């Protein structure tokens, strides 16, 4: 992180890890949210939301 | 005005950016997302160019409404998928919108966080008078 960041930043001794989204939330994003999102951002919805379903 | 191919059903604005800016000025937009070709530790974003302004190494589309929204939207979340020294720099080459302003400037808005493909930084507005720095609060869930 430090190697790849051009500015200084504070950090705690133990950097907490963001919990992964629950399967329920992932399913909601892919089945309910993604089709609505695709109306506005079709490429993003296809690559980042629905596409991630295939890669996970 | 702006004609987008976007969805009428999923967008409650009927007149594009004008309504967004009006709402933001009225304090009716709580959260907004901004990015930049370069972002620095003081929360400054660069949407204009890299290198010497007259002879840029890279030219981006431009600042557009970013500086206005950065000033009036209380919670601006910065995002940049590419987490490298090329994008996250010590000082941006051009300030499209500053991360903080002097105390005597009316500014309800500003950055609260910067998210990249590697981590989430929280932005500490209280430290704006100091050399502004950001605090890594959470590593991204997927290790790289």
């Amino acid at each position: 992180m430090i190697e790849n960041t051009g500015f200084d930043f504070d950090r705690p001794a133990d950097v907490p890890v963001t919990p992964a989204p629950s399967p329920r939330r992932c399913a909601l994003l892919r089945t309910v949210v993604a089709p609505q999102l695709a109306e506005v951002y079709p490429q993003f919805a296809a690559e980042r939301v629905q596409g991630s379903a295939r890669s996970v | 005005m702006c004609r987008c191919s976007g969805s009428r059903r999923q967008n409650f604005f009927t007149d594009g950016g004008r309504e967004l800016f009006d709402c933001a000025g009225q304090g009716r937009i709580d959260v907004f997302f901004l990015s930049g070709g370069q972002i620095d530790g003081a929360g400054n974003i660069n949407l204009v160019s890299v290198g010497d302004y007259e002879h840029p190494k890279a030219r981006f589309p431009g600042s557009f409404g970013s500086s206005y929204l950065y000033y009036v939207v209380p919670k601006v979340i910065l995002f940049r998928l590419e987490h490298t020294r090329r994008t996250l720099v010590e000082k941006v080459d051009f300030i499209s919108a500053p991360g903080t302003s002097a105390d005597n400037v009316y500014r309800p808005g500003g950055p609260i966080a910067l998210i990249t493909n590697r981590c989430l930084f929280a932005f500490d507005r209280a430290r704006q008078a100091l050399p502004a720095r950001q605090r890594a609060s959470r590593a991204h869930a997927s290790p790289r």
Side-chain angles (χ1 to χ4, degrees), chain B residues 2-66:
Chain B
C2 166
R3 284 188 61 81
C4 303
S5 59
S7 163
R8 282 193 178 184
R9 196 161 61 95
Q10 304 300 341
N11 183 356
F12 65 91
F13 292 133
T14 55
D15 194 18
R18 189 160 67 182
E19 277 179 274
L20 169 65
F21 293 157
D22 282 351
C23 283
Q26 292 159 1
R28 293 167 64 203
I29 305 290
D30 299 319
V31 182
F32 200 77
F33 293 87
L34 286 175
S35 186
Q38 292 178 322
I39 298 172
D40 69 27
N44 301 315
I45 61 172
N46 175 5
L47 291 155
V48 170
S49 62
V50 171
D52 177 42
Y53 182 76
E54 299 295 335
H55 302 93
K57 282 194 284 187
R59 185 64 168 88
F60 309 128
S63 305
F64 293 95
S66 65

Side-chain angles (χ1 to χ4, degrees), chain B residues 112-134:
Chain B
I112 60 160
L114 163 63
I115 188 160
T116 74
N117 60 353
R118 291 175 189 271
C119 77
L120 173 66
F121 295 96
F123 190 77
D124 189 350
R125 258 185 232 183
R127 289 179 61 173
Q128 64 176 276
L130 303 168
R133 301 207 297 180
Q134 286 176 297

Side-chain angles (χ1 to χ4, degrees), chain B residues 44-126:
Chain B
N44 301 315
I45 61 172
N46 175 5
L47 291 155
V48 170
S49 62
V50 171
D52 177 42
Y53 182 76
E54 299 295 335
H55 302 93
K57 282 194 284 187
R59 185 64 168 88
F60 309 128
S63 305
F64 293 95
S66 65
S67 54
Y68 168 69
L69 294 171
Y70 216 15
Y71 270 68
V72 297
V73 177
K75 294 178 180 178
V76 175
I77 298 167
L78 301 174
F79 66 97
R80 185 66 220 231
L81 290 183
E82 182 187 325
H83 186 141
T84 65
R85 285 180 175 262
R86 186 175 88 117
T87 56
L88 305 187
V89 298
E90 191 175 2
K91 193 169 181 294
V92 295
D93 292 348
F94 184 99
I95 299 177
S96 290
T100 58
S101 303
D103 286 343
N104 62 348
V105 174
Y106 175 73
R107 179 156 189 189
I112 60 160
L114 163 63
I115 188 160
T116 74
N117 60 353
R118 291 175 189 271
C119 77
L120 173 66
F121 295 96
F123 190 77
D124 189 350
R125 258 185 232 183

Side-chain angles (χ1 to χ4, degrees), chain A residues 23-36 49-50 53:
Chain A
R24 192 166 162 266
R25 177 166 290 191
C26 287
L28 185 70
L29 285 170
R30 287 161 187 158
T31 57
V32 178
V33 176
Q36 296 178 44
V49 186
Q50 285 159 333

